[in-house]
Amino acid sequence: MTKTMTCIVCPMGCQISVAEGEARGYSCPRGKSWAEQEVSKPMRTLTTTVLLIGGEYPLLPVRTQLPVPKSKLMDCLRHANSLRVEAPVEVGQVICPDLAETGVSLIAARTAGGQ
Amino acid sequence: MKADLVVIGGGPAGMGAALEAHRLGVKDILIIERDFSLGGILQQCIHNGFGLHLFGEELTGGEYAQRFIDELAASGIRVLTDTMVMEVDSGWVRAVNTQGVLEIEAGAIILAMGCRERTRGAINIPGTRPAGIYTAGAAQRLINMEGFLPGRRAVILGSGDIGLIMARRLTLEGAKVEAVAELMPWSNGLARNIAQCLEDFNIPLLLSHTVVDIHGTKHLEGVTLAQVDESFRPLPDSRRYIPCDLLLLSVGLLPENELSQKLGIEMDPVTNGPLVDQNLHTSINGIFACGNVVHVHDLVDFVTLESRRAGAGAAAWLRKSYRGQTMAVTPGENISYVVPQRLTLPVQEDVTFLFRVKRPLNKPVFTISTQGEQLLMLRRPVALPAEMVEIKLSPGKIPAGGDITIDCRGEER
């Protein structure tokens, strides 16, 4: 069975097809490994916001440090929505070490000072 | 007040230009920003995908901005936030903030005000005028920075990247996106955003469709969508009503031109931004421009690279205010615009031409020529209007006079 997909690794958006585990149509090694992963276990980086307490902004942008299984995106989101963070926060700071039991941490995506 | 270099706008373009000028020896630099913090639109772009060209990693907008904000903090470059520039002319800037009116003498000025979104008025959608209609970027700021979800059931008009990104963002925040409608027969967004923002969440993309009516008195109650023919005329039989309480418009960006126009800078009617040379020098001495105020870019990495050239141009101007003879760069076959629009002689470094094609082509061949003589030829697998093309030309290939034309020929897609 052949599966065709649009690569999301970079803005080029190559059309990659995978048949019997072999990828075609990629332009870089990252695209090849992404496509191979995509047919077995698709992964996505989640970016969202969490509530920031006492900060200069009401929300802190966060992202998963590594991609998480696409099937667990909504679990990750629900977990992230339950979090509260106190300012100040440094970019890259770990907000949650294990998001929705994925083993992946959620990190701050900007520096936010206190009020 | 006084500064060697005044940069208007503290987004990616302004920060990149200021840092490059600083690296090249300009020490007395002032950035003026009207928001309360630096970063510009990157602050509300919480999604990832920024910085692949420049840093080799996928950053979120905030992370990308943070690198420049941290570098600025360490540089000694002065920053005035919460300050709005009202007027600019060769050698001075007038701004206003809570302290009052500031008159600033400037050796050179860089315009880096970015762009703004086209609104409902720009595309004349008929119907009532209820609440619940937002530009995609305004909704993005509300959701990502201010913690306010403007609706629960949405239709998005326009499939540019902001529209696609917002379709995913709304879905993740618990809203239902009924459809993304696009007037053109193709999307102007990146292919990967169609994949990861729409297909991942089963959101339909309706090409050759538009909003033909808006319903609701106080608040939006629904929109009527219709398919359009090749001349963009709605087909009456295809009309259908979609109930929704939110309509997002992602229908194009326009350079923020108020200051540039007041100043009487020569403008490019296609980009809607100032005409610039290879150093991003505008038609007015000592005034440079870079980033989305010059032309709307698809990637922030390209904004940073362009802004560094503007920073270098301003630094050179501050060392020696000299303007040589110029030659025009014109868009030829199937090219909608080229930046820079002119070259100032002598050209001493590689010139980066940035341009867009008018319609999608397969196996395009780009040529740069002067008076029929070909200076450079380049082949690419595809060319899309949504993707800016970059070609560099070395100084040795640039003729001593005459004009330069860029053409693109290829197979129709």
Side-chain angles (χ1 to χ4, degrees), chain A residues 6-11 13 30 44-49 57-59 61 63 70 74 77 91 107 109-111, chain B residues 36-37 43 46-48 52 58 60 62-63 66 143-145 147 169 172-173 190-192 195-196 200 299:
Chain A
T6 304
C7 182
I8 62 168
V9 166
C10 86
R30 293 181 61 208
R44 296 289 184 271
T45 298
L46 174 68
T47 64
T48 184
T49 54
Y57 325 97
L59 297 173
R63 70 168 169 96
K70 188 173 150 186
M74 284 302 170
L77 197 71
V91 65
I107 60 169
R110 86 175 289 174
T111 296
Chain B
F36 67 90
S37 50
Q43 297 180 88
I46 63 163
H47 54 282
N48 61 336
L52 213 52
E58 274 203 71
T60 65
E63 289 173 316
Q66 197 68 51
I143 295 171
N144 294 345
M145 291 181 72
R169 190 71 198 120
L172 290 177
E173 286 299 330
L190 295 170
R192 73 157 175 182
Q196 65 183 349
D200 270 10
L299 300 180

Side-chain angles (χ1 to χ4, degrees), chain A residues 52-111:
Chain A
L52 183 66
I53 313 292
E56 47 188 338
Y57 325 97
L59 297 173
L60 177 74
V62 290
R63 70 168 169 96
T64 55
Q65 188 155 34
L66 297 167
V68 294
K70 188 173 150 186
S71 57
K72 295 204 80 174
L73 266 185
M74 284 302 170
D75 293 338
C76 288
L77 197 71
R78 269 189 286 277
H79 189 180
N81 283 346
S82 71
L83 300 171
R84 306 279 180 279
V85 185
E86 281 194 35
V89 183
E90 282 285 314
V91 65
Q93 189 177 318
V94 174
I95 301 302
C96 170
D98 179 10
L99 191 67
E101 292 163 8
T102 55
V104 175
S105 55
L106 190 71
I107 60 169
R110 86 175 289 174
T111 296

